[in-house]
Amino acid sequence: LPLPARRLRVWLNNGTFTPSSLAQCLQQCYHDLLAKARQDDVYVEDLSVLPNFASEGQCQMEPSDLQEHVAVGGTFDRLHQGHKVLLSCAAAIATKGLVVGISGEPLLREKAAATYLQSWGERARAVAAFLALQRPDLTLRLEELQDAFGPSLWPQLGALVVSAETDAGGHAVNEKRRALQRRPVQLLVVPLVQSNQGEKLSSSALRLEDEVHLAFWR
């Protein structure tokens, strides 16, 4: 039988990164660690790979990629490694503050298996707990998204981190900012993380798995 579920944190030390190279490194770490866990028949319930930006960790970002205030958004349901890579990259380039927009009810109505979504509070707590591990020094704000823009229109923002799937939304943000006569933000696109089956890692798929599991055991 497989060993009991485990929570595993791995610190990434040394190296100078761009957002793209950091994303690729983190994705590879998640992939290799989970592959090793499967090989050893160990179920890892919660895996976090964390760039160590403390002085002893000696991880750093290219100075040209740093911004004082950074935003990132998403649903962040059942926080998985795709979310964690996105959040890690956003936290890595922020020097003062990070705002995370978390989808509220108006943005959730068309989600697959929406009835199985975690509450906004549950999702927000998971995001805050993860970011506190990596960058406890950052000023963190969690905002409930009621539309596609939310805090991405705040004047002080310097960068917006998006996934490859939401890249178009990032360009829409800059169009809206120009219309409001605000400086466009730097867009940083993080590649999608694949599941063990080679497909895009998706919270919707995880919710559907839960739905099938619950239906089976009723």
Side-chain angles (χ1 to χ4, degrees), residues 26 30 46-49 76 79-89 130 134:
L26 291 172
Y30 279 112
D46 182 18
L47 170 63
S48 294
V49 181
F76 300 114
L79 199 71
H80 55 63
Q81 58 261 40
H83 297 141
K84 291 178 179 181
V85 170
L86 193 71
L87 291 167
S88 287
C89 289
F130 174 75
Q134 180 178 324

Side-chain angles (χ1 to χ4, degrees), residues 129-209:
F130 174 75
L131 288 170
L133 294 173
Q134 180 178 324
R135 290 294 306 275
D137 58 307
L138 279 180
T139 298
L140 176 65
R141 288 190 61 170
L142 304 177
E143 295 286 328
E144 185 170 359
L145 294 177
Q146 301 297 324
D147 57 41
F149 296 105
S152 67
L153 301 179
W154 290 359
Q156 69 269 34
L157 284 183
L160 175 65
V161 178
V162 298
S163 70
E165 188 178 37
T166 58
D167 185 21
H171 291 285
V173 164
N174 272 339
E175 289 179 10
K176 184 73 169 177
R177 289 180 69 91
R178 291 187 187 97
L180 295 171
Q181 298 185 333
R182 294 174 185 170
R183 177 173 58 89
V185 292
Q186 179 184 4
L187 292 179
L188 298 175
V189 182
V190 174
L192 295 173
V193 175
Q194 293 186 334
S195 69
N196 298 335
Q197 291 74 39
E199 301 172 346
K200 184 198 79 170
L201 193 58
S202 160
S203 295
S204 297
L206 297 176
R207 287 194 301 276
L208 288 168
E209 286 181 10

